[in-house]
Amino acid sequence: MRVMDQNLAAAAPAAVATRQPLLSLSGVRMAFGGIVAVQDVGFDVMPGTVHALIGPNGAGKTTVLNCISRFYTPQQGSMRFCAAHGEVELLRCKAHHIARLGIARTFQNLELFSELTVFDNVLIARSMAMRATLAEALLALPRQRREEREQRERTEALLETLGLQTHAHAVVRDLPYGTQKLVELARAMALEPRLMLLDEPAAGMNNREIDALGATLRQLQQRSQATLLLIEHSMPLVMSISDTITVMHNGAFLAQGTPKEIESHPAVVEAYLGGGKSGKRR
């Protein structure tokens, strides 16, 4: 039985409570041969919120993100996204079109250019915003020079926001794992997405780094007005920053609600939280 997020709706302004979902999944089924990874999953992600997707290992969470990203094609279901130009059925989109719709993604395993500097990793993502033609770039014409200067300034500002300015010219492979995770986050945010898909952003971080990450994610979300959909096993992080939590178990939807509702939901406690207080568990 789905837990309705009544507290969130009551606390939000009327305009927020009645808004169209930014992302709406319905009846999504993904099977690999005879193994069903995701079965009849559906939930809505409201704009301007932090929405966590949690569940035990093997619950199908990353498979859902891979479907949204169009790395996988579900056999059934619908995934509707409210892009800037109107609603789009993601099942009709190619994977390389997803970023231009306003969806960015980070991964469990780092997907960075390890031989490049932090600055260059983020600047490459900013290049999508450039409109100068190849000829303008080759000839270094005024529009190309102006756009390049603007993207470099925006890259510097983003690195400063994430506290990465001191590492701007460091080669990524030489940095600690936790810092590399922030670089991947910066690269995704550089796309200025409407929806950020974060796959275990706190993986490999210590408690101090996780606390700092929570504050950073909230700050970025509030500044950019982006919507965050994250998978995360750190329950202190999930409970402290999420507006809404969707719980999966054995590839299916289990429950949805506010952190307070999910923390005390009997089926969630039994299936995932293990009977302990979520704020005390990793």
Side-chain angles (χ1 to χ4, degrees):
M1 178 178 178
R2 182 171 297 199
V3 180
M4 299 304 293
D5 194 358
Q6 296 172 338
N7 292 344
L8 180 61
V16 174
T18 59
R19 270 189 308 192
Q20 178 183 4
L22 180 68
L23 175 70
S24 183
L25 274 61
S26 176
V28 175
R29 183 182 189 274
M30 184 72 220
F32 303 93
I35 300 175
V36 179
V38 172
Q39 177 63 50
D40 194 30
V41 168
F43 59 89
D44 292 341
V45 178
M46 300 306 293
T49 64
V50 177
H51 192 122
L53 183 61
I54 69 171
N57 288 330
K61 306 180 299 296
T62 295
T63 299
V64 169
L65 256 60
N66 284 337
C67 290
I68 298 169
S69 304
R70 299 300 290 111
F71 296 145
Y72 296 158
T73 299
Q75 287 84 17
Q76 296 177 13
S78 173
M79 302 184 298
R80 298 188 304 277
F81 178 69
C82 189
H85 59 276
E87 188 175 83
V88 176
E89 172 55 67
L90 294 180
L91 283 178
R92 299 190 185 123
C93 299
K94 302 294 185 182
H96 61 277
H97 292 154
I98 295 299
R100 293 202 178 277
L101 289 176
I103 301 175
R105 169 82 184 269
T106 67
F107 297 84
Q108 287 184 24
N109 300 314
L110 293 170
E111 299 287 342
L112 295 168
F113 298 107
S114 61
E115 304 294 325
L116 299 181
T117 65
V118 170
F119 186 91
D120 287 339
N121 265 271
V122 179
L123 183 62
I124 287 171
R126 287 296 317 165
S127 66
M128 285 190 62
M130 297 183 69
R131 295 292 178 262
T133 64
L134 178 61
E136 287 175 309
L138 291 174
L139 296 173
L141 295 181
R143 183 167 76 154
Q144 189 275 336
R145 295 199 306 271
R146 182 175 65 254
E147 286 190 342
E148 182 175 357
R149 182 170 61 252
E150 179 183 348
Q151 300 317 319
R152 294 183 74 87
E153 290 172 353
R154 291 193 175 208
T155 297
E156 290 172 356
L158 182 55
L159 294 181
E160 184 175 359
T161 298
L162 287 168
L164 289 169
Q165 67 272 29
T166 58
H167 303 292
H169 302 295
V171 176
V172 164
R173 68 181 179 189
D174 297 331
L175 295 172
Y177 183 79
T179 305
Q180 291 185 39
K181 294 283 283 188
L182 285 179
V183 175
E184 186 171 43
L185 177 61
R187 196 172 64 172
M189 289 302 300
L191 297 173
E192 297 183 356
R194 295 167 64 83
L195 175 65
M196 275 275 293
L197 307 176
L198 306 177
D199 198 348
E200 298 192 27
M205 293 186 176
N206 58 41
N207 290 336
R208 180 182 57 80
E209 290 171 331
I210 290 173
D211 289 343
L213 176 65
T216 297
L217 289 176
R218 260 306 182 186
Q219 180 185 35
L220 284 174
Q221 187 271 328
Q222 290 168 358
R223 284 190 179 186
S224 67
Q225 294 302 301
T227 301
L228 308 185
L229 175 59
L230 74 150
I231 294 172
E232 185 50 62
H233 287 291
S234 171
M235 286 299 97
L237 177 61
V238 167
M239 294 295 174
S240 66
I241 71 170
S242 300
D243 298 303
T244 305
I245 300 173
T246 296
V247 187
M248 293 182 63
H249 186 57
N250 291 332
F253 177 95
L254 180 63
Q256 182 168 303
T258 63
K260 184 177 180 180
E261 290 169 335
I262 292 302
E263 184 178 40
S264 59
H265 191 280
V268 176
V269 172
E270 180 180 356
Y272 185 55
L273 299 178
K277 290 292 184 181
S278 61
K280 297 179 181 178
R281 294 175 62 86
R282 275 285 303 274

